[in-house]
Amino acid sequence: MPVEVIMPKLGMAMKEGTVSQWNKTEGEAVKKGDPIASISSEKIEMEIESPADGSVLKINVPEGKGVPPGTVICYIGNPDEEVAATAAPVQEEKGQKEEIQAAHPAPPPKKPGKARVKISPVARKMAEASGIKPEDIIGTGPGGRITKEDVEQAIASAKESRKQDIPVQAVAEEPQRIPVSGMRKVIAERMHLSLQSAAQLTITMKADVTELLALQTQVKETIAKRYGSKLTITDFVARAAILALENHPEMNSAFMDNTIVTYLEIHLGIATAVEKGLVVPVIRHAESKSLIDLAKEIKEKAAAARAGKLPADEMQGSTFTISSLGASGVEFFTPILNPPEAGILGVGAVSDEAVFIGDKIEKRSRLPLSLTFDHRVLDGAPAAAFLQTVKQYLEEPVTMLL
């Protein structure tokens, strides 16, 4: 009897999963444990393995199609077995299907056993949109996997080649179109919802972190020997924000159903860039953690998120978020609230500046801070007081260790 392969539930909040790429075709032989497809949810991308030996009898869900958890996406069984007639494949929307078929005629079916091209889902979509065959691209990723950068290089090479053959007055090329799905779709929806549903205002300050950087250098060797870790600017900012939230609990709030909800615990979100977007690992009960424990958990969860191994449940439920673009050289920016939170703190890049200290000019290290808050929850004065408290802790770093 054919074995059903279902769309797994990758967390309590998961409503839909998308088949990013099929690694096997109908009729192709598989062994138990073989990766047969890549799937993605709102925050996670992973591979599904074959639950049994046999062949792929029927693929029920096409690439790029989102379905609820529990949906049968394919069947595995013996080549002579038949799938019940009720197991109809999930169809794409008629208009979309006709448009795709018109633009990209269906390729001939692959022969069972044909070597599979290793290519990331994003890279495959870019290649298809540009009319470039993945087989013609040399992959530079692990195991020869074709990456987004490899496709971009192939597109650039193809354009350069066409320039030599096409007259100067040729018509401009069609722009590439990449369907929005998976993590990018969720980010787009949530950010748009955030800007539509909250009265967002951003205020900025600069903190003098000269003493903080000196303390960071002073304890660097001790921290490395004793804890096998290091303290970063983000770790210090996180600690300062937590202490400031304890002093200003109105910032640790949310606006929901015409009600201001103020949380008693601090669940700190740390915005983390991953290959295909942005996720927010959550440090729960952050107010109860020491600076060292906080730093370790931030690093561990960020690493797990980048590797795609952090459970979805650990990326939800934050009450306040920190977003840093300092590593990219950005100073001030306008972070967007992570709904339904009332505040998000943006951290920029440290820079050396000439500052008057009394009547003397000194070189000081200054850190840009950008606080976006929901004006429905609190006004400018209390928001500025919160940011001033964060600044004070950063400028007097010893107080964060007491």
Side-chain angles (χ1 to χ4, degrees), residues 135-150:
E135 295 82 0
D136 297 335
I137 303 174
I138 299 176
T140 60
R145 185 181 179 88
I146 298 172
T147 65
K148 174 183 175 183
E149 289 73 20
D150 296 329

Side-chain angles (χ1 to χ4, degrees), residues 56-256:
V56 179
L57 300 180
K58 178 185 284 290
I59 290 177
N60 256 30
V61 180
E63 290 183 357
K65 183 69 178 179
V67 294
T71 301
V72 178
I73 62 173
C74 76
Y75 292 87
I76 304 294
N78 296 323
D80 57 348
E81 288 185 297
E82 292 186 2
V83 177
T86 55
V90 176
Q91 297 294 326
E92 299 179 10
E93 295 181 8
K94 183 178 179 181
Q96 178 184 2
K97 183 174 181 180
E98 291 176 352
E99 180 181 346
I100 293 175
Q101 288 179 339
H104 304 286
K110 296 181 180 178
K111 296 180 180 179
K114 184 179 179 180
R116 179 174 62 88
V117 177
K118 296 181 179 180
I119 181 171
S120 70
V122 172
R124 179 179 292 277
K125 290 177 182 177
M126 290 178 62
E128 291 176 351
S130 302
I132 297 176
K133 295 180 179 179
E135 295 82 0
D136 297 335
I137 303 174
I138 299 176
T140 60
R145 185 181 179 88
I146 298 172
T147 65
K148 174 183 175 183
E149 289 73 20
D150 296 329
V151 178
E152 289 175 342
Q153 181 61 41
I155 293 173
S157 299
K159 287 182 178 179
E160 187 62 31
S161 176
R162 285 195 291 269
K163 283 181 181 179
Q164 299 175 6
D165 302 327
I166 300 176
V168 177
Q169 65 272 20
V171 179
E173 297 178 1
E174 282 292 319
Q176 70 176 38
R177 303 178 187 277
I178 302 175
V180 179
S181 62
M183 185 184 298
R184 175 49 52 191
K185 180 180 179 181
V186 174
I187 292 173
E189 291 173 348
R190 285 182 62 80
M191 293 300 95
H192 189 227
L193 173 65
S194 175
L195 289 173
Q196 284 188 318
S197 62
Q200 302 192 29
L201 176 65
T202 302
I203 57 177
T204 62
M205 278 185 194
K206 278 191 176 182
D208 188 330
V209 293
T210 308
E211 278 71 30
L212 187 150
L213 294 179
L215 175 64
Q216 183 186 34
T217 301
Q218 182 181 345
V219 302
K220 180 179 180 180
E221 187 174 342
T222 302
I223 297 296
K225 287 182 178 180
R226 183 172 297 183
Y227 302 104
S229 184
K230 66 177 181 178
L231 296 176
T232 66
I233 291 293
T234 298
D235 300 331
F236 282 107
V237 172
R239 178 63 177 161
I242 292 164
L243 294 172
L245 287 169
E246 290 184 310
N247 293 333
H248 304 273
E250 64 273 17
M251 186 58 72
N252 194 45
S253 302
F255 191 94
M256 296 185 289

